[in-house]
Amino acid sequence: MEEKLLTIAEAAEILGVSIDTLRRWDKSGKFVAIRKEGGTHRYYREKDLEIFASDLIKLSNDWVTDGLELPSTFYCINSSIFQARLIKMQDALMREGVPDTIMPLIVAVAGEIGNNSFDHNLGQWPDVPGIFFGYDIGKRQVVLADRGLGILVTLSRVRPKLKNHTEALKVAFTEIVSGRSPEDRGNGLKFVRQVVAENPISLFFRSGDGELRLKKDNNELYITRSQKDTRGCLAIIEF
Amino acid sequence: MRIELKKFGTTLISRQAGKEALAAFQSVLARAKSDENLEIDFDGVITFSPSWGDEFLTPLLNQFGDRLVLSPSNNPSVKITVELLEKTQNKKFRQE
């Protein structure tokens, strides 16, 4: 039996992006449409839509790089939308039977990282406000990203001597920043580090050209410099 | 006086929500007698985070000191948050 093809309008509705965005993605090769023999209309297979939307790392990375439209399921334009979706994730984790010993910690870690993006960029987003927030409980993965100022710029307000992104990451994840005025910076990333060090959860965090890896049940901080300097922050939580 | 945190929600995550909770609670707090303890009950809270805790518990700790008493909780997000707040404030919470 021939598989039913979706029209571009149906595909746009399912992904939560505009038809123009799908046309652009088709042209650029990011998400290529199907054309019937001799025809010019674009069609999509349902399965391809699922595969496209399930690659959270690629979607978030592309967005951090190009800032173009995101499938609406993953885009939280403000912190209220993020809070609502975080509670939805919490419900899903409970439904899937993720144990009470780590379930609240996964939600709290995602909450601290996502809220950091909003707290430190409010009124100062360089272009696109808001964050990418996606999760796949089957793959045991949560991905968050923003196109904000990044850790170095926001932390430099209280630590003006910071020289580069790797140094900024180290301070953000290890040093208690007190006397926070005028920046109401929390110590959420220290919480994230402690949670990961004591639990079967791992984290990859990138800001600028700094990359940090925290491995599960391990207190070590692995900080490296990447070849590319990217915008904002990207976090991948695995459990 | 006993404060059931679940009345503020079961997912206590953001700084903004913590601030709002504390502001909403001021009128109740004003009724506390000068020698009365303030007991914080975490029962029913699913997820607790340092951002919310810092906006709600830290000001209460600074205002009430030893009269602020935390009830025991098995929730790992409560435990790690309380430990972190103690480190950032360099003060200990009184715990039941």
Side-chain angles (χ1 to χ4, degrees), chain A residues 165-176:
Chain A
H165 292 287
T166 48
E167 210 176 282
L169 278 179
K170 188 169 182 217
V171 171
F173 278 87
T174 57
E175 291 179 31
I176 299 280

Side-chain angles (χ1 to χ4, degrees), chain B residues 4-96:
Chain B
E4 290 179 276
L5 287 191
K6 67 177 177 202
K7 291 187 177 169
F8 296 104
T10 53
T11 311
L12 305 175
I13 296 276
S14 75
R15 223 161 241 292
Q16 205 182 341
K19 265 183 204 158
E20 280 168 17
L22 187 66
F25 198 62
Q26 288 305 322
S27 59
V28 180
L29 222 50
R31 293 202 297 268
K33 297 185 193 100
S34 60
D35 58 347
E36 195 178 2
N37 280 349
L38 215 60
E39 290 166 45
I40 304 286
D41 181 354
F42 294 97
D43 266 5
V45 172
I46 302 172
T47 302
F48 196 67
S49 85
S51 294
W52 198 97
D54 192 34
E55 295 295 340
F56 191 87
L57 293 183
T58 303
L60 291 181
L61 176 65
N62 290 329
Q63 189 182 343
F64 289 85
D66 269 357
R67 284 170 52 215
L68 182 75
V69 185
L70 307 186
S71 290
S73 167
N74 284 328
N75 187 309
S77 64
V78 171
K79 283 185 181 174
I80 301 184
T81 295
V82 168
E83 279 174 39
L84 182 79
L85 294 180
E86 288 182 332
K87 265 188 221 159
T88 54
Q89 291 304 306
N90 210 9
K91 279 182 188 171
K92 288 270 177 203
F93 284 99
R94 191 173 144 197
Q95 303 198 38
E96 257 176 15

